[in-house]
Amino acid sequence: MNFELSEEHLAVQEAARDFTQTLLLPTIIERDEEQRFAKDEIRQLGELGFMGMMVDPVYGGSGMDTMSYVIAMEEISKIDASVSVAMSVNNSLVCWGIEEYGTEEQKQKYLVPLASGQKLGAFALSEPEAGSDATSQRTRAVLDGDHYILNGTKNWITNGGNADYYIVIAQTNPELGHKGISAFMVEKGMAGFEVGPKENKLGIRSSDTHTLNFTDVRVPVKSRIGEEGFGFKFAMKILEGGRIGIAAQALGIAAGALDFSLAYAKERKAFGKPIAEHQAISFKLAEMATEIDAARLLVYRAAQDKDNNRSITVSGAMAKEYASRVAMWTTVEAVQIHGGYGYVKEYHVERLMRDAKITQIYEGTSEIQKIVISRGLLKD
Ligand code: CAA
């Protein structure tokens, strides 16, 4: 395995870093406090080609590899996991799902504006009573001529309020279990589609998380993605790729916490010398750096598996489970290193600690990742 970054990867890293330092860092504390979505910044991210990084340029994307994508996700997440989750959902779930499984008409209509950053996408799978147990969907799509009539509620939908296009997973034949689930493209503004309340969250507070309500929404049959009954497998396939994006996000949160901690530990003095020279602190830094490097290797391996068309079921789940654990642990240590300063907003690490938690929950909890990993092991 080669983990050397190419010239192209280094250029992506630098562009993402510049963007983050210039456009995200100055406003993140305020946006987090006010729960304000970075609409303009995300539009600019799209103009730079970061919203459809892996999409074929024929469909408005940047035509890059998964390694480039995880490198960009890591850089942006060092400061702003709210922006990076919007980017991750648009790239890995929505764009990839349409490019891989959509019709040519769907690609022209939805993928081109999504990949070029003119429009924003969301992925609606979770429900009040169907999170990890994704087959227990209650949202129903009933065929009526050349339309489906969609009814139900989706919860905790990232980009929910600001998206233009939504992939919605719904039951078409409940008696068939997972084989009775289908996927649809739904557009903001369709009659009966209402964006519900915004969630008031612990972390990623500048991201846009909403409930969605569907009441007799008429969705054309041609907006179904894949065959009827393909929706569950479709969701599983796109979540596999999504988990690599969230693993990279977790890696970035951890790496950002280490950057802040290193800078602080070199500057802050206690008992007559920089705290970095106290073993209690230097050992923490050493452990954080080691854990982060281990997480990075798992993330890069999963990205390389995807780029080489190898299975990412297990390697993606391992990367997400491990990197999210490292993010949580590292950010708690970062707050500890910062002491009282770590507990206030100006020093950034308390936000990273709050942001880290969601990486153990969304796109499959850590427990779900362990189910996926162990099933993979036992299958072989
Ligand atoms: N690829 C393709 N097919 C797959 C698959 C995969 N990775 N995983 C499962 N399947 C198929 C199985 O082969 C099976 O099909 P067959 O019967 O034809 O063989 C079918 O799907 C059902 O599989 P299981 O019996 O394994 O299903 P299960 O009910 O036991 O669930 C699970 C498996 C892994 C637990 C799954 O439900 C899961 O991943 N749950 C977590 C859901 C999740 O990640 N939610 C996140 C919400 S989205 C989000 O967070 C986005 C955001 O906003 C940031």
Side-chain angles (χ1 to χ4, degrees):
M1 252 180 300
N2 175 18
F3 292 117
E4 284 296 308
L5 299 189
S6 67
E7 289 292 314
E8 189 185 283
H9 294 146
L10 290 169
V12 168
Q13 191 174 48
E14 197 181 325
R17 191 173 294 158
D18 282 354
F19 182 87
T20 305
Q21 293 294 323
T22 317
L23 276 144
L24 301 179
L25 181 60
T27 56
I28 181 58
I29 292 175
E30 197 179 286
R31 280 187 283 110
D32 174 78
E33 180 78 13
E34 296 171 0
Q35 302 193 75
R36 181 157 48 82
F37 186 62
K39 198 171 183 165
D40 290 343
E41 292 85 346
I42 288 170
R43 186 184 41 74
Q44 290 175 67
L45 207 50
E47 284 165 10
L48 288 173
F50 283 99
M51 294 304 276
M53 288 187 75
M54 295 162 289
V55 174
D56 191 324
V58 169
Y59 296 114
S62 302
M64 293 185 194
D65 58 9
T66 313
M67 277 295 286
S68 301
Y69 169 59
V70 298
I71 288 165
M73 280 294 296
E74 178 184 345
E75 283 308 313
I76 294 170
S77 306
K78 284 179 180 174
I79 299 293
D80 196 334
S82 294
V83 163
S84 70
V85 71
M87 178 181 152
S88 176
V89 166
N90 201 74
N91 273 279
S92 339
L93 301 182
V94 183
C95 284
W96 190 79
I98 302 170
E99 185 169 29
E100 193 70 13
Y101 299 106
T103 61
E104 186 57 31
E105 191 181 341
Q106 288 167 351
K107 289 179 195 175
Q108 293 299 340
K109 185 170 181 191
Y110 300 116
L111 182 58
V112 171
L114 286 165
S116 55
Q118 294 156 35
K119 301 280 185 194
L120 185 65
F123 174 70
L125 171 69
S126 302
E127 298 188 0
E129 290 177 62
S132 293
D133 182 9
T135 50
S136 306
Q137 300 285 303
R138 295 239 175 117
T139 297
R140 285 293 311 270
V142 177
L143 191 59
D144 178 28
D146 55 2
H147 284 75
Y148 284 89
I149 312 295
L150 187 67
N151 279 286
T153 299
K154 295 288 178 181
N155 270 31
W156 311 292
I157 305 306
T158 303
N159 299 341
N162 278 277
D164 303 282
Y165 303 138
Y166 301 73
I167 293 179
V168 179
I169 309 295
Q171 284 279 6
T172 38
N173 288 294
E175 63 284 359
L176 295 182
H178 74 78
K179 291 192 168 79
I181 292 173
S182 304
F184 301 92
M185 288 306 306
V186 176
E187 299 174 28
K188 167 146 321 125
M190 281 180 157
F193 173 22
E194 180 212 33
V195 174
K198 180 170 174 155
E199 300 292 348
N200 183 0
K201 307 189 295 292
L202 170 75
I204 54 163
R205 286 172 59 79
S206 164
S207 80
D208 179 45
T209 315
H210 285 259
T211 296
L212 307 177
N213 297 311
F214 304 97
T215 311
D216 293 333
V217 179
R218 291 181 67 78
V219 181
V221 169
K222 65 180 180 182
S223 296
R224 193 185 64 223
I225 304 175
E227 294 300 310
E228 210 180 75
F230 179 63
F232 186 76
K233 286 195 180 181
F234 169 75
M236 292 298 110
K237 286 314 283 182
I238 62 175
L239 278 166
E240 282 188 350
R243 287 166 186 167
I244 299 176
I246 300 303
Q249 178 185 54
L251 168 64
I253 293 171
L258 177 61
D259 287 349
F260 283 117
S261 300
L262 282 169
Y264 181 79
K266 283 192 265 183
E267 206 170 88
R268 167 82 169 156
K269 290 198 173 69
F271 304 101
K273 56 184 179 183
I275 60 169
E277 291 177 24
H278 292 286
Q279 199 177 65
I281 301 299
S282 63
F283 276 22
K284 278 191 197 301
L285 295 168
E287 287 169 13
M288 288 159 80
T290 307
E291 290 294 319
I292 290 167
D293 265 12
R296 187 175 288 112
L297 293 177
L298 281 175
V299 172
Y300 283 9
R301 182 186 66 169
Q304 289 197 358
D305 279 347
K306 186 150 194 304
D307 286 333
N308 289 301
N309 294 319
R310 292 190 288 263
S311 169
I312 54 167
T313 310
V314 171
S315 62
M318 281 181 174
K320 182 180 183 288
E321 195 283 326
Y322 191 76
S324 60
R325 186 150 39 102
V326 169
M328 199 64 248
W329 175 79
T330 304
T331 53
V332 171
E333 290 294 79
V335 171
Q336 192 68 19
I337 289 170
H338 282 74
Y341 291 106
Y343 208 64
V344 296
K345 309 252 176 211
E346 286 75 11
Y347 283 75
H348 296 285
V349 287
E350 65 80 35
R351 183 186 68 258
L352 293 174
M353 185 181 84
R354 288 186 284 106
D355 289 353
K357 187 61 208 168
I358 192 63
T359 65
Q360 295 183 302
I361 299 173
Y362 59 21
E363 300 208 16
T365 62
S366 298
E367 291 73 17
I368 290 292
Q369 305 314 319
K370 288 178 197 171
I371 290 176
V372 172
I373 296 163
S374 57
R375 282 184 182 178
L377 294 175
L378 295 167
K379 189 177 77 181
D380 295 341

